[in-house]
Amino acid sequence: MSLNDTHAGPHAKLIYMANQIAKFMESKPHAEGLTLLASHINDFWEPRMRRHLFEVLDAGGAGLRPLVLEAASAIKRPAVAA
């Protein structure tokens, strides 16, 4: 199964990446996985990627794993691009 078989649209790769991180973090105790997921995105995703993630989240979060949705409040929302 390819990436495009599971997610469509302009943010397909970003959804896939967020879900891969979440899938790994789901193997940890819930609170730890939640914290580590948000920390990973905050530390390693550039503002443009986080901005696109928030576009998906603000549109309802379709395609994102529940852990990503839950971690959203701890992910830093970047300023709107000029």
Side-chain angles (χ1 to χ4, degrees):
M1 179 181 295
S2 74
L3 168 63
N4 292 328
D5 291 337
T6 55
H7 305 292
H11 300 308
K13 186 172 183 179
L14 185 123
I15 292 169
Y16 177 80
M17 290 169 37
N19 285 341
Q20 287 297 101
I21 299 164
K23 193 172 186 180
F24 175 77
M25 296 305 174
E26 288 165 2
S27 68
K28 304 197 173 294
H30 184 74
E32 180 183 3
L34 200 58
T35 299
L36 289 172
L37 173 59
S39 292
H40 180 88
I41 291 174
N42 286 330
D43 292 345
F44 298 107
W45 285 27
E46 63 182 32
R48 178 183 52 87
M49 291 172 69
R50 285 184 282 120
R51 215 175 354 268
H52 291 310
L53 177 61
F54 277 101
E55 289 174 8
V56 174
L57 289 164
D58 292 344
L64 292 171
R65 295 179 76 87
L67 195 65
V68 179
L69 299 175
E70 194 175 346
S73 63
I75 297 170
K76 297 173 191 168
R77 183 183 290 262
V80 176

